[in-house]
Amino acid sequence: MNQLLAHIEQYKKEITAIKISSKEDLESFRIKYLGTKGILKNVMGEMKNVPIDQKKEAGQLLNEFKLFVESNYEALANSMETTSVKDKSNLDITLPGQPLSVGSRHPISIVHNKIVQIFQRLGFSVAEGPEIEDDWHNFSALNLPENHPARDMQDTFYISQNPDWLLRTHTSSVQIREMEKGDLPLRIICPGRVYRNETISARAHCFFNQVEGLYIAENVSFADLKQTLYFFVKEMFGTDVKVRFRPSYFPFTEPSAEMDISCLICDGAGCSVCKKTGWVEILGCGMVHPSVLDNCGIDSNKYTGFAFGMGIERITMLLYQVKDLRLFSENDVRFLRQFTSAI
Ligand code: PHE
């Protein structure tokens, strides 16, 4: 037992004095003390020579020694790691770093940015407004009084705390807010998310993104409207695309129209996307109704204006030939990864 104690003390001294400077040194330490034929095993083997009445005490001693060797080994291994990082000679600063995956821009954002850029070149600036609106800005000011049947065109989500509040169904509400400020002439586009209580399908969703536009000044005519939208279409879809206007109805514009472009998928020949007509509708537009101007405190005898509104999803689907609207909000990276853009 005394011999065992002496051995252990001796080894402890040895171990405490050890300095290592390489991985090889560390490995020899491990083999010498912790290996299958190493010192620890050896010392443990001495247990059998200890008299029975001292075995308990010896067991404790040996256990402590075991922990001592193991913790010293770990400490040496840790110090090796830190010194090798500190050791500049081992550090190759020319190695490329860990790559960061940055993802890609959402197709809706790409097209949103493209639309904004095109209109900015024509002098339009971006205006934004709240997604939770009141009845006035979303409906009444837009010539849609309560109980007007045209309110059914846009199935609305109301907010239960206050019957006057709703999720905006279009960004025309932003146009009202801007007109109310009274800074004329006014040339704005209003991009943003809008909400409608529609059954979700490949062609409709309960929320989507719009860009609406508004130009109010003296002597603005339908010709200005057409020219602006022609420019937009050519910039967006290319010069080969054909455009047509169809008379339509919106309570806030008079006259009103819908604009179609020749189908990009079949080039006008007729396919499932254009429902065999060769045309696809991309936006609604018209001359701002004089009552809307009056509602916002603008002199409708002096000023005229045009407005238009389009869904960004629709434009994106045509541009990238995406067949299902739901893909835009499902966050499936296999879909989203396919769109890259410098914008
Ligand atoms: N606000 C209309 C809609 O969301 C679009 C539109 C805007 C139509 C401006 C005409 C003029 O359906």
Side-chain angles (χ1 to χ4, degrees):
M1 177 72 184
N2 281 345
Q3 209 187 349
L4 180 65
L5 243 175
H7 274 155
I8 288 180
E9 282 314 307
Q10 171 67 26
Y11 290 134
K12 274 189 172 174
K13 264 195 209 141
E14 236 180 76
I15 291 172
T16 332
I18 278 175
K19 296 225 160 42
I20 58 160
S21 54
S22 67
K23 282 199 172 133
E24 287 73 35
D25 289 352
L26 183 69
E27 185 57 3
S28 353
F29 178 96
R30 193 190 62 78
I31 294 170
K32 183 169 174 196
Y33 290 95
L34 293 163
T36 34
K37 291 184 184 145
I39 285 170
L40 188 63
K41 268 269 156 62
N42 228 339
V43 178
M44 291 288 195
E46 288 188 29
M47 187 70 172
K48 61 180 183 295
N49 305 326
V50 176
I52 297 198
D53 59 333
Q54 293 175 357
K55 275 213 194 299
K56 197 176 161 202
E57 201 189 331
Q60 267 174 1
L61 256 173
L62 285 171
N63 251 339
E64 272 169 32
F65 180 57
K66 184 170 178 257
L67 291 176
F68 178 83
V69 181
E70 284 171 354
S71 60
N72 271 273
Y73 174 71
E74 261 170 46
L76 289 171
N78 285 343
S79 74
M80 260 309 298
E81 262 173 39
T82 39
T83 44
S84 67
V85 173
K86 273 192 213 137
D87 181 1
K88 299 256 174 17
S89 60
N90 277 341
L91 191 67
D92 181 355
I93 55 163
T94 64
L95 278 174
Q98 295 285 340
L100 287 176
S101 87
V102 288
S104 54
R105 221 178 263 282
H106 194 286
I108 296 294
S109 301
I110 295 172
V111 174
H112 165 281
N113 291 346
K114 270 191 184 169
I115 298 173
V116 168
Q117 282 185 351
I118 294 169
F119 284 106
Q120 276 178 335
R121 284 166 55 201
L122 290 173
F124 286 79
S125 51
V126 173
E128 286 176 341
E131 290 185 19
I132 298 178
E133 262 301 357
D134 52 37
D135 186 276
W136 170 255
H137 290 98
N138 196 82
F139 288 130
S140 299
L142 284 153
N143 214 17
L144 273 149
E146 226 174 302
N147 303 322
H148 193 290
R151 286 195 180 201
D152 295 345
M153 285 163 77
Q154 304 177 354
D155 255 333
T156 310
F157 287 114
Y158 287 91
I159 308 242
S160 52
Q161 282 100 322
N162 186 335
D164 194 43
W165 292 347
L166 47 88
L167 295 181
R168 69 181 178 192
T169 59
H170 48 187
T171 58
S172 306
S173 53
V174 184
Q175 306 186 345
I176 297 295
R177 288 179 179 277
E178 291 297 315
M179 284 191 273
E180 282 174 340
K181 289 182 188 164
D183 280 340
L184 296 173
L186 188 60
R187 194 156 27 181
I188 51 165
I189 47 167
C190 312
R193 203 203 286 247
V194 300
Y195 302 83
R196 291 184 196 178
N197 189 4
E198 289 191 31
T199 314
I200 299 169
S201 71
R203 312 184 109 242
H205 211 302
C206 56
F207 63 82
F208 60 99
N209 293 272
Q210 273 194 329
V211 175
E212 295 216 351
L214 176 72
Y215 177 36
I216 296 181
E218 287 179 52
N219 303 317
V220 176
S221 71
F222 205 89
D224 297 316
L225 166 64
K226 287 178 90 173
Q227 205 53 49
T228 303
L229 294 177
Y230 283 150
F231 178 80
F232 164 71
V233 166
K234 305 283 169 190
E235 290 295 306
M236 195 72 201
F237 298 105
T239 43
D240 292 341
V241 173
K242 290 191 267 313
V243 174
R244 76 173 184 191
F245 285 83
R246 276 177 296 108
S248 184
Y249 168 76
F250 299 102
F252 29 86
T253 45
E254 182 60 36
S256 304
E258 266 160 312
M259 192 173 93
D260 299 340
I261 60 169
S262 52
C263 180
L264 300 167
I265 316 271
C266 61
D267 207 13
C271 68
S272 64
V273 171
C274 59
K275 297 195 207 112
K276 307 252 183 293
T277 62
W279 296 94
V280 276
E281 180 202 322
I282 64 161
L283 56 81
C285 58
M287 300 306 292
V288 179
H289 197 291
S291 309
V292 175
L293 296 175
D294 293 338
N295 285 341
C296 300
I298 295 173
D299 183 352
S300 56
N301 289 319
K302 188 168 172 207
Y303 291 100
T304 50
F306 67 72
F308 58 87
M310 66 185 106
I312 303 183
E313 277 79 355
R314 166 69 64 94
I315 308 284
T316 311
M317 287 171 93
L318 289 171
L319 207 60
Y320 293 122
Q321 311 204 347
V322 177
K323 300 225 164 59
D324 194 322
L325 186 78
R326 288 168 290 200
L327 287 164
F328 293 129
S329 50
E330 281 171 350
N331 278 343
D332 186 333
V333 286
R334 290 168 304 178
F335 170 71
L336 297 174
R337 260 195 211 122
Q338 299 172 63
F339 307 90
T340 47
S341 162
I343 302 172

